Amino acid sequence: MSIYTTIATSKERHGEIQTALAAVESSPETLQSHKSYLSDLRRALAETNQQLEQLRQITQVERALHEKYRDSTVRRLLYRATGKRGDFEAKADQEMRDYYAALAKENRAQAQREMLEAQLVDAVTKEHELQAACAARGRLHEELDAIYRTIFEGRTEDFPEEDAQEEVTLLARREYGQRRQRWSDVRQAAQCLARAQLTMREAMFHLVESLRQSERDLWGFGGTLIDWRQKNCLSRAQQKVSQTQMLVAQATRLDSNVQSLPAMGLVQRDWVGGMLCDTFLFHLNFLDLMQQSVLELNRAEEALAAEVRRIQSRETGMQAQVEEARVTFETAQQGLRQIRYEVFMKAADPPPPYTDQPSVGINA
């Protein structure tokens, strides 16, 4: 089947797709704008709810003061007995005014909240409609691209401009995919290093706690309980160091630019020997080794922080490159669709053949 026959067969469906696309083509841009509007509505509603709660508290206080003067017979008689009835009436009137003013503010805030809630309901409904339109647009473009692939994919000698744009689009697609995959690897590596920072801090915490127990043991405040705590903390520190090394190794596999950390060899105490040689000199030497371990972890922690800063910088730069490649690919893809559309329309509705009519001479 020739290209022209395939085009003629697909002409009707092609027209239907183009008509349907005209109604939803701008839906992604509209949805993006609508999301900003929806975000503003939600923020305004949250602020109004907070304001309304504060106004309700004020109204409750003002209501209590108003009712105190309105309903207090004893207070009224006391003011009358002291000849200050006018002061009482003025105070009662002021409390009433304050209460109704507070109530009016609360009612206005309540009305504003109800209006925002109604707008939010409408906006959410509109968002669902736009999301459905975007999904329909995607399906239509997929079907349209499938039709074009059936007709134009590969070499089409009759349409060299389509072949050239197809090649540009394929290269742009490949570059975008490669950059996105590379960025994804670096992003995962950055997440591994971020988790490694947490396990490193935990390792340092346990090591410092073990060091504190060792110092107590040095000055004769030890015993079985102190030894057990020291051993437990040191064991936890070793576990966290192992987890940190594993996470950094994962990050290195994902991103070869990640450097290994300096050595983090934690001191290992011979607990049986410690019981047999429980001397001041033994504890002093062990304490010195513990302090050296703390210094090693400090150096590794600083190196890890530097690696995190570097990979975050790389990730940010690569994200910009991915975005650039995405725009390039989408532009090339749109250009290919436009060329294919124009070629399709010309081939589907070719101009009538030109016939050279012989000129009729006028006899003098």
Side-chain angles (χ1 to χ4, degrees), residues 193-194 196-198 200-201 244 248 259 261-262 297-313:
L193 292 183
Q197 280 190 304
L198 295 177
M200 175 71 84
R201 293 190 189 105
T244 301
V248 172
Q259 301 296 313
L261 298 182
L297 254 66
N298 270 326
R299 285 194 293 269
E301 190 172 24
E302 291 173 359
L304 179 56
E307 282 299 322
V308 169
R309 289 193 297 270
R310 283 192 288 269
I311 200 170
Q312 286 175 342
S313 177

Side-chain angles (χ1 to χ4, degrees), residues 162-174:
E162 189 278 335
D163 286 343
Q165 187 62 31
E166 184 178 355
E167 182 66 21
V168 169
T169 304
L170 289 174
L171 291 174
R173 184 199 301 272
R174 188 178 303 118

